[in-house]
Amino acid sequence: MNGKRVRVLSATSVVLSVVALAGCGGSGDEGTKASGPVTVEWWSWDESKTTQPVADKFNATHDDVKIKLVKQADNVGTAQNVRNVVASGKNVPCLVKNFGEVPGLAGEGLLSDVTDALQPYLKKKAFTEAALPAVRAGGRYYAVPTGFTPQFMIINKSVYDAYGIAAPKTWDELIDAGKKLKKHGVYVMNLAGEDPSTLVNLVQQANGSWYRQDGDSWKVDFLSPESLEAADIVQRLVDNDLVANQTYQDRPALISYFDSGKMVSLPTSTWQLGTYELNYKKSLGDWQPIDLPQFAGASAFTTPGHSVNSGLIVPKGCAHVKEAVEAGVWMNTTKEAVDATYQKDTKQYSWPGAIPDPSPWVASTVPDKLFGKDRDQARGVILKAVAGAKDTWTVGPNYTGVFAELQDEWAKIVTKKITVKAALAHLQEFTVKDLKSKNINVEG
């Protein structure tokens, strides 16, 4: 090996170096003691009707720390504003709604290491285990965990019943159901050409990951057994013409299509149920919640627990990390905070994805009419999805560019221009070459 090769080791090494330098420069993370209450500025682009009551409740119940909510325009604007303010080092907010994968943002030097401040809450097991991996990089924490939303499936039971087809328990059974439905002009699922999340979720459900860290190196494996197992499911759905390709970019048309009875199985989560209830006209009451189908022979019931934008981030330069973490933990783990998110118009709370036991709030996520006589099944399905959630997904330092490449490949997959395996082989070569071009140590 060329001894002159620059070894930018891993995101972990980069992150730790950045943190060490910042500590020498006096970021204000340690030892800052205000004479009065500390104000934690919180940036979020969520609707104020859901966030301001949380800040108000915190301020009414705390004397030493106060939250000041600053409304942001959107995800993209927030990302740019954070990068600008961290670069300037002035007026840095201490809590921000996440706009990316935490390891990547930490690798950019945008985040504070909150591990020490978070430790007391970790010891008390304030968070569900599946909420933790997404906010770690190299064994350190760079955000307050916000958790995940449970994944399950809803099926148009009236159509399934009309053709005498049982609800699928495995992906193989779903494919078999698709073959029977095809004879009647009905698609079993929808795979939008711009969204490869089905493939990503299947790899996660198989307990796989395309990246792994190994010491000072990244290992990349798009052709692992887990990845190929996921690819096989997608390939059979596509090869047998069992899926629709309705785009997500025209939301009204998408919802109308789902409502039509021409597509009858939707992987979904709690936050989407209210939209279906509000917009379905023809199929309201026909849907049934079921467990997310499993791989045949799976040793344990598993649902994907990784959330792309998980975590309430603490930007680099925040003057009060300890107080920011205190406020962030309260916002994401206490009954008072969750109750403060209640909306009278929707009769719903924000989903408490970081809490080990979210059962007190499940009922509010289940709409009155969507599931008809099967409504009572929803609670058990949702809580089983929570209990089965695992997060084995690791994001590499160039995943943003890799995901864009994956989107291009996915469009070719669903239109049968290439196979899933061929796309994965291309991504393997693309990812390794890209990491090497960035002088990042990689195997694969």
Side-chain angles (χ1 to χ4, degrees):
M1 180 178 295
N2 189 337
K4 293 182 179 180
R5 180 182 177 189
V6 179
R7 290 170 65 85
V8 180
L9 303 180
S10 66
T12 306
S13 304
V14 175
V15 167
L16 294 178
S17 298
V18 170
V19 171
L21 289 171
C24 294
S27 68
D29 292 355
E30 302 293 339
T32 301
K33 185 69 176 177
S35 58
V38 168
T39 297
V40 172
E41 197 165 288
W42 172 27
W43 288 9
S44 174
W45 63 88
D46 287 340
E47 291 185 76
S48 296
K49 68 176 185 178
T50 65
T51 51
Q52 191 61 55
V54 176
D56 292 343
K57 187 67 176 179
F58 181 87
N59 292 337
T61 54
H62 291 74
D63 295 325
D64 296 335
V65 184
K66 300 295 181 183
I67 294 175
K68 178 184 177 183
L69 178 62
V70 179
K71 181 74 163 60
Q72 299 290 296
D74 52 29
N75 182 324
V76 176
T78 302
Q80 188 57 54
N81 290 340
V82 167
R83 289 187 168 91
N84 290 343
V85 76
V86 169
S88 73
K90 298 177 181 177
N91 302 317
V92 178
C94 279
L95 290 173
V96 176
K97 180 179 172 67
N98 193 3
F99 49 82
E101 293 277 7
V102 163
L105 299 179
E108 284 189 59
L110 291 176
L111 307 184
S112 294
D113 184 337
V114 302
T115 308
D116 293 343
L118 200 59
Q119 280 299 335
Y121 308 104
L122 296 174
K123 288 181 180 177
K124 289 192 295 185
K125 298 188 180 302
F127 305 99
T128 185
E129 282 295 318
L132 302 180
V135 295
R136 283 197 300 245
R140 306 293 290 181
Y141 290 88
Y142 292 90
V144 177
T146 54
F148 59 92
T149 54
Q151 294 193 32
F152 49 94
M153 179 170 273
I154 63 174
I155 61 171
N156 189 325
K157 191 170 185 296
S158 67
V159 178
Y160 269 81
D161 286 348
Y163 300 119
I165 302 170
K169 295 180 180 178
T170 67
W171 290 110
D172 287 342
E173 289 182 4
L174 181 126
I175 291 169
D176 288 342
K179 292 177 180 176
K180 295 173 183 174
L181 289 163
K182 180 182 174 182
K183 299 173 183 175
H184 304 285
V186 176
Y187 291 115
V188 72
M189 275 182 62
N190 182 62
L191 298 179
E194 73 276 11
D195 182 8
S197 60
T198 298
L199 176 61
V200 173
N201 287 336
L202 282 167
V203 176
Q204 292 181 35
Q205 192 182 19
N207 296 316
S209 181
W210 289 329
Y211 296 86
R212 295 193 190 283
Q213 283 183 277
D214 185 12
D216 64 355
S217 179
W218 284 97
K219 287 191 173 181
V220 175
D221 192 357
F222 280 80
L223 296 168
S224 67
E226 297 85 1
S227 190
L228 293 179
E229 187 174 21
D232 177 65
I233 299 298
V234 173
Q235 195 65 62
R236 283 191 280 157
L237 287 169
V238 172
D239 284 349
N240 289 286
D241 298 315
L242 307 182
V243 290
N245 301 127
Q246 193 76 27
T247 180
Y248 292 157
Q249 295 174 354
D250 185 346
R251 193 70 178 172
L254 179 74
I255 293 296
S256 178
Y257 184 71
F258 288 170
D259 191 31
S260 70
K262 297 177 182 175
M263 193 290 304
V264 292
S265 316
L266 276 172
T268 191
S269 188
T270 48
W271 66 274
Q272 295 171 306
L273 300 183
T275 298
Y276 301 146
E277 170 95 350
L278 183 64
N279 293 287
Y280 283 177
K281 307 299 180 188
K282 301 176 182 176
S283 63
L284 205 58
D286 291 341
W287 294 81
Q288 178 188 17
I290 65 171
D291 297 333
L292 192 69
Q294 302 290 296
F295 287 101
S299 59
F301 181 82
T302 302
T303 59
H306 185 82
S307 179
V308 173
N309 294 336
S310 185
L312 194 55
I313 63 175
V314 181
K316 193 69 186 173
C318 159
H320 304 289
V321 170
K322 180 176 179 294
E323 289 82 0
V325 170
E326 176 186 347
V329 171
W330 182 90
M331 290 160 60
N332 287 283
T333 66
T334 68
K335 182 178 184 302
E336 288 176 304
V338 180
D339 286 348
T341 67
Y342 183 74
Q343 298 298 303
K344 290 182 180 178
D345 55 346
T346 61
K347 300 178 182 178
Q348 287 192 336
Y349 302 88
S350 296
W351 178 256
I355 290 178
D357 178 15
S359 59
W361 298 280
V362 169
S364 83
T365 69
V366 183
D368 294 332
K369 301 177 182 177
L370 179 65
F371 299 129
K373 62 182 176 58
D374 293 318
R375 185 178 185 277
D376 290 345
Q377 298 175 25
R379 176 183 172 82
V381 168
I382 292 170
L383 290 177
K384 185 175 180 180
V386 171
K390 294 181 177 62
D391 185 0
T392 58
W393 192 247
T394 299
V395 174
N398 63 342
Y399 188 62
T400 299
V402 169
F403 187 79
E405 189 71 11
L406 171 61
Q407 286 180 297
D408 290 343
E409 295 297 291
W410 180 254
K412 301 173 189 173
I413 289 170
V414 299
T415 52
K416 294 186 175 182
K417 293 179 180 175
I418 59 174
T419 65
V420 186
K421 188 173 181 180
L424 292 172
H426 168 76
L427 288 162
Q428 175 74 23
E429 182 178 354
F430 175 90
T431 305
V432 171
K433 183 178 180 180
D434 183 62
L435 287 171
K436 288 181 176 178
S437 74
K438 294 178 169 64
N439 291 325
I440 295 175
N441 200 19
V442 57
E443 298 177 31

